[in-house]
Amino acid sequence: MTVLLVEDDHLLADTLVDTLELEGHRVQHLTDGTAARQALDTPRHGHALILLDLNLPGCSGLAVLEALRQHDRDTPVLILTARGAVEDRVRGLDLGADDYLAKPFALDELEARMRALLRRRERRQVLQVGPLQFDGLSQTFSLDAQPLALPPREQRLLACLMRHAGEPVDKAQLTEEAFQGAAMGDNAIEVYIHRLRKRLSDAGIALRTVRGIGYLLEAE
């Protein structure tokens, strides 16, 4: 998933980019409010979460947020503010920010807040891959508009694959995202993948093995 970081403090931004990339995120970093507003000026901007400083050159973070919320109410926004800027924090929350973090902050706290916002976003999502649909709010699947019942582990694995539909996902990432890093046998993922393939056979859904990389879910 891609995180958009809008921060003009280069030292802080370099630290955040390095930290988030180590956690497996793709990060786009912008330093200018005008550039951020242009990058977000479409519902299909492609970012899973936005880290937004408020004191930016070009145009303010509040202006970026206000423009975003005119067409996108769903993408989580975590605003980064100076510790004493209470009015800016209140204004940001009123404009539709999901959370805020006052500088300076601990990286562990930032990561925890990001995880919470991403979980909240996933619960609101409806994902579609061909005839396969996943409702994040009810945590249910349907195939050709008919309910598809799955055991819990297969359900979590398929939801993870759907969130990454069209791109290969390796075993380590599947284990971390679908099972929160729980210890699993070497062949456990292969067993669940095999079961999902059988359930999705002849349904217009391909669950492919990308040799040396991982597994890829896509519509045939």
Side-chain angles (χ1 to χ4, degrees), residues 5-124:
L5 170 64
V6 190
E7 172 60 66
D8 65 332
D9 182 328
H10 289 279
L11 181 60
L12 174 59
D14 288 346
T15 300
L16 293 179
V17 169
D18 290 344
T19 300
L20 295 176
E21 288 183 343
L22 284 173
E23 290 294 316
H25 300 291
R26 291 189 296 270
V27 184
Q28 180 184 2
H29 173 218
L30 298 175
T31 60
D32 180 88
T34 302
R37 185 168 179 170
Q38 292 171 347
L40 296 170
D41 190 25
T42 170
R44 292 182 166 271
H45 51 74
H47 301 292
L49 184 143
I50 300 165
L51 302 177
L52 180 63
D53 185 28
L54 295 187
N55 187 20
L56 295 167
C59 71
S60 72
L62 290 175
V64 173
L65 176 61
E66 186 172 19
L68 172 73
R69 288 305 188 224
Q70 290 177 8
H71 62 79
D72 178 356
R73 306 294 302 179
D74 295 326
T75 302
V77 176
L78 174 59
I79 58 176
L80 309 176
T81 73
R83 185 166 296 277
V86 177
E87 291 183 2
D88 284 345
R89 294 201 296 268
V90 171
R91 177 66 174 151
L93 294 170
D94 285 343
L95 287 174
D98 296 271
D99 199 358
Y100 73 86
L101 200 53
K103 303 176 185 178
F105 49 79
L107 293 176
D108 286 348
E109 182 178 6
L110 172 67
E111 292 167 16
R113 289 176 184 250
M114 288 177 60
R115 288 193 295 270
L117 291 177
L118 289 169
R119 285 195 300 268
R120 193 184 308 167
R121 176 180 182 266
E122 289 170 7
R123 287 195 293 268
R124 296 197 300 257

Side-chain angles (χ1 to χ4, degrees), residues 113-155:
R113 289 176 184 250
M114 288 177 60
R115 288 193 295 270
L117 291 177
L118 289 169
R119 285 195 300 268
R120 193 184 308 167
R121 176 180 182 266
E122 289 170 7
R123 287 195 293 268
R124 296 197 300 257
Q125 282 184 319
V126 175
L127 304 176
Q128 184 90 35
V129 180
L132 179 65
Q133 187 177 87
F134 174 64
D135 186 325
L137 189 60
S138 63
Q139 294 288 296
T140 57
F141 292 88
S142 62
L143 185 62
D144 288 322
Q146 299 299 313
L148 176 65
L150 296 172
R153 286 196 167 187
E154 290 178 43
Q155 177 174 314

Side-chain angles (χ1 to χ4, degrees), residues 29 74 76 127 138 142 147 162 164 189 194 212 216 218:
H29 173 218
D74 295 326
L127 304 176
S138 63
S142 62
M162 290 188 72
H164 295 278
I189 294 292
H194 175 71
L216 183 149
E218 60 184 357

